[in-house]
Every structure is written in C-alpha cells, then in structure tokens.
Amino acid sequence: MTVYRAMSASRVLMGRMGHELDLLKELTAICEKEGIRLGWIRAIGAVKRAYIGFYDQGTHQYHNLELPRPLEILQLLGNVSLLENRPMVHAHITLADSDGRTYGGHLLPGTIVFACEFAIEILEGPDLVRALDRETGLPLWSMA
Ligand code: ZN
C-alpha cells in the first residue's frame, strides 16, 4: 500500500560546509540546531574520503564500502524526518573518482568534506516519524 501526505515548502537554507567536517554528522547537527523536523537536502562538492552502505535485502544488513580517497560529490539527495523525536538525515550520495568512475550508496558517518555546497528545503506538515518496518528491517516512515 502506498501512503502519502501533503507538505508545504516553507524556506530553504543554503550554505557552505566547513572543510574536514563529517558530512552526515554536520547535516544532522544543522537540522538539530535549526529545529528542522521535515525537509529535503541536496548538495554538491567534494570529499576527502567516503563511507557508504548498501542494504542487503535478503539479510537485512548493510554492507559498508570505504573509499579512502578524494572524490567529487556529483549529487547528494536526502530527507529529514524524525527518529525517536530527533531529526534524522537519510541521504544517498553519488561520487566520482579522477577517471569519472562513479560510486554510490547510503551515506554513512565517516565521509569527510573537502568542500560542499548544500541546500536544506524546510517543509511544513505533519511529522514523519520513523519506526521499524518488519518487512524490510528498515526504520521507515510510519504513515498508517
Ligand atoms: Zn538509505
């Protein structure tokens, strides 16, 4: 069953992230500082190293991939919702190396910024709260 709700855009934060910050942790810290409960995130830039995950649908476990080298952020796309009443950033990222090869996955802590320009679109509407979904083993939006 597909479920959805109407949300409205309220404002957009745009910024430049500090050198050598942890990309996911800093996005989460901004959301906490600004009281953002609901939103979308986009970013481009470059990282010094990356740590991303792939969710195995059979075992319900993440396989993590460490990329300990400079990479371009071709695109980061994510959302902000609530997990245990705190903002949780769920983001996926596409990265490219010096030969243009691409890598991508679920963004994990340990991805370190070289330079990053980001936008957080703050939405208004009913809270989206994450809860464990038995079918997938993931903390999905509980929207029944
Ligand atoms: Zn994910």
Side-chain angles (χ1 to χ4, degrees), residues 102-121:
T102 54
Y103 306 86
H106 177 95
L107 180 66
L108 294 169
T111 298
I112 305 303
V113 170
F114 179 76
C116 177
E117 298 168 349
F118 66 89
I120 303 176
E121 183 180 4

Side-chain angles (χ1 to χ4, degrees), residues 40-106:
W40 276 98
I41 299 176
R42 280 171 286 174
I44 56 173
V47 297
K48 297 184 84 168
R49 54 188 296 117
Y51 199 44
I52 56 178
F54 174 86
Y55 190 69
D56 186 315
Q57 298 174 13
T59 64
H60 288 186
Q61 299 213 323
Y62 275 98
H63 294 277
N64 298 337
L65 177 62
E66 194 169 6
L67 299 162
R69 52 189 174 278
L71 297 157
E72 293 284 320
I73 303 171
L74 303 186
Q75 176 166 269
L76 176 150
L77 186 63
N79 58 52
V80 187
S81 59
L82 297 178
L83 179 68
E84 294 168 356
N85 210 33
R86 296 180 63 151
M88 180 193 148
V89 173
H90 177 203
H92 288 190
I93 190 166
T94 308
L95 302 154
D97 71 11
S98 57
D99 294 320
R101 281 185 299 241
T102 54
Y103 306 86
H106 177 95

